[in-house]
């Protein structure tokens, strides 16, 4: 079956630190991969996506590269801000008409 | 342009009761998906509606049912509530059936259901 495993949080960083949140997946076929962000009290927002191997998704200084050989889609940001504090979810969508499959989420807290 | 809206924001029910949650999709969207997000977990897919029919269903019992109206809005009904049904229920809308060619799903803020 399809599944997503992401590093457990919480992750606490100082402002301007480098961020990595690991995500690996298991899927049949060739899934599309996503990172969603959930700010306190809000729904999920799509942060970035990649639809095929070696694609790099990027948005708001965040980036992630679709690595088929390691079945990974790690989220990185070079310099985090307090406003990046949120819960981050890695997700996949397999080929065909299948729903999004989410990881458990990683809570990030950035302190000034 | 209004995004996805859900009502109510919060709800408290007791075991055995029934609940109805509502969702209005983003303007122009015709597909609605429902997800359950338990505390500390990622969202789990419940079902998806398109053209007023349930098109896909996740691993949820028949106590969970839904409906889509001609204006594309949707309801999620849960019967015989259990303590374990306490969660944030998220609605997501998209244009066309997500999956074959990916159409971004836009999420609402969710309804927080507490079952006592």
């Amino acid at each position: 079956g399809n599944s997503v495993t992401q590093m457990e949080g919480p992750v606490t960083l100082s402002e301007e630190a480098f961020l990595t949140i690991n995500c690996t997946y298991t899927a049949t076929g060739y899934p599309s991969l996503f990172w969603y962000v959930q700010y306190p009290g809000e729904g999920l927002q799509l942060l970035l996506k990649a639809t095929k191997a070696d694609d790099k998704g990027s948005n708001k200084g965040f980036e992630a590269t679709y690595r088929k050989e390691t079945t990974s889609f790690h989220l990185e940001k070079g310099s985090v801000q307090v406003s990046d504090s949120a819960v981050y979810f890695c997700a996949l969508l397999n080929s065909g008409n299948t729903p999004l499959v989410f990881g458990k989420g990683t809570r990030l807290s950035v302190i000034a | 342009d209004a995004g996805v809206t859900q009502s109510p924001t919060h709800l408290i029910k007791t075991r055995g009761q029934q609940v109805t949650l509502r969702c209005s999709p983003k303007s122009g969207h015709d597909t609605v998906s429902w997800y359950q997000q338990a505390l500390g977990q990622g969202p789990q897919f419940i079902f998806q509606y398109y053209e007023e029919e349930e098109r896909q269903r996740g691993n949820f019992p028949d106590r969970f049912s839904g409906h889509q109206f001609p204006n594309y809005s949707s309801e999620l009904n849960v019967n015989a509530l259990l303590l374990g049904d306490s969660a944030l229920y998220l609605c997501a809308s998209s244009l066309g059936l997500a999956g074959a060619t990916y159409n971004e799903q836009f999420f609402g803020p969710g309804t927080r259901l507490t079952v006592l």
Side-chain angles (χ1 to χ4, degrees), chain B residues 43-82:
Chain B
Q44 298 287 317
F45 174 73
I46 303 175
F47 43 53
Q48 181 185 74
Y49 276 84
Y50 173 70
E51 292 186 336
E52 301 180 50
E53 290 187 13
E54 183 181 295
R55 298 292 178 157
Q56 292 188 76
R57 190 179 184 91
N59 189 26
F60 279 80
D62 291 345
R63 298 187 297 109
F64 289 77
S65 63
H67 189 78
Q68 185 179 35
F69 299 93
N71 67 352
Y72 308 121
S73 66
S74 177
E75 288 181 349
L76 164 65
N77 301 293
V78 187
N79 295 322
L81 284 167
L82 304 174

Side-chain angles (χ1 to χ4, degrees), chain A residues 21 23 33-35 48-50 64-66 71-75 90:
Chain A
I21 300 178
C23 171
L33 301 173
F34 309 89
W35 277 99
L48 54 84
K49 67 180 182 183
T65 301
Y66 188 163
T71 61
S72 65
F73 193 55
H74 304 322
L75 182 68
C90 185

Side-chain angles (χ1 to χ4, degrees), chain A residues 9-50:
Chain A
V11 174
T12 303
L13 296 173
S14 297
E15 210 166 20
E16 298 183 4
F18 184 86
L19 168 71
T20 300
I21 300 178
N22 291 336
C23 171
T24 57
Y25 68 90
T26 301
T28 56
Y30 303 96
S32 296
L33 301 173
F34 309 89
W35 277 99
Y36 282 83
V37 59
Q38 187 174 35
Y39 297 103
E42 299 184 14
L44 298 176
Q45 299 176 26
L46 179 63
L47 181 60
L48 54 84
K49 67 180 182 183

Side-chain angles (χ1 to χ4, degrees), chain A residues 34 36 38 43 89 93 96-97 99 103, chain B residues 37 42 45 56 98-99 102 104 108:
Chain A
F34 309 89
Y36 282 83
Q38 187 174 35
F89 293 93
L93 186 71
N97 191 20
Chain B
Q37 185 180 8
F45 174 73
Q56 292 188 76
Y102 175 68
E104 181 180 345

